[in-house]
């Protein structure tokens, strides 16, 4: 959010709906005032956003969905608190199943698959092409540099690497 002085907290559902940050026992501040500002072109002293990696323990501790809100001016009676009309987000976490990795074992030889054989052949061809290109470049540099090294090698060994 541009030009916001808001902070950011991960909160319980009760705090999310009440905007009452009196009891901080089960909530955690993630970003300080101005840490989530997006207007870094005009204010380069600010970090320009906030990244948060949700982990499994967050859903175990806080539940699903996760609630995020700003406590900026939450107790200010003269102004509307940011929790009411500022930063306030409910995030649903979708549990993912890990994709199993195929490994050797149980009578399965991963190196026997056609795809693996094709990739190995391609890597071999590309490696040979890179080696020959490097050799050609070195030969050109030697012959242009008048070092005499090419002439001596050519007389005794030819162009063999």
């Amino acid at each position: 959010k541009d030009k916001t002085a808001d902070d950011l907290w991960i909160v319980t559902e009760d705090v999310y709906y009440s905007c009452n940050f009196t009891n901080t026992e089960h909530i955690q501040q993630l970003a300080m005032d101005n840490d989530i500002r997006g207007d870094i072109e005009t204010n380069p002293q600010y970090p320009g956003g906030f990244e948060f990696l949700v982990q499994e323990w967050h859903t175990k501790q806080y539940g699903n969905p996760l609630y995020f809100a700003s406590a900026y001016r939450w107790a200010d009676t003269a102004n509307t608190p940011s929790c009411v009309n500022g930063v306030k987000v409910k995030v649903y976490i979708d549990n993912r199943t890990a994709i199993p990795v195929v490994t050797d074992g149980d009578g399965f030889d991963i190196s026997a698959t056609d795809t693996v054989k094709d990739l190995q052949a391609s890597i071999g061809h590309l490696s040979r092409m890179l080696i020959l290109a490097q050799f050609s470049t070195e030969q050109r540099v030697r012959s242009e540099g008048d070092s005499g090294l090419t002439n001596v090698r050519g007389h005794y060994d030819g162009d063999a690497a």
Side-chain angles (χ1 to χ4, degrees), residues 53-66:
L53 176 63
V54 175
Q55 298 179 16
E56 187 177 349
W57 71 268
H58 289 110
T59 57
K60 288 180 181 176
Q61 181 174 344
Y62 295 100
N64 193 2
L66 294 175

Side-chain angles (χ1 to χ4, degrees), residues 75-135:
D76 187 350
T77 56
N79 297 298
T80 305
S82 288
C83 182
V84 173
N85 65 354
V87 177
K88 190 171 186 176
V89 181
K90 184 190 309 185
V91 179
Y92 291 91
I93 306 301
D94 188 20
N95 292 327
R96 302 290 172 117
T97 304
I99 299 172
V101 177
V102 178
T103 58
D104 286 339
D106 299 329
F108 180 75
D109 182 13
I110 196 167
S111 65
T113 63
D114 290 337
T115 304
V116 172
K117 288 181 180 178
D118 289 344
L119 290 171
Q120 287 174 336
S122 296
I123 290 170
H125 293 304
L126 288 171
S127 299
R128 178 163 172 75
M129 288 173 50
L130 286 172
I131 291 169
L132 291 174
Q134 181 66 28
F135 174 74

Side-chain angles (χ1 to χ4, degrees), residues 4 46 112 128 157:
T4 182
Y46 299 124
R128 178 163 172 75
D157 299 328

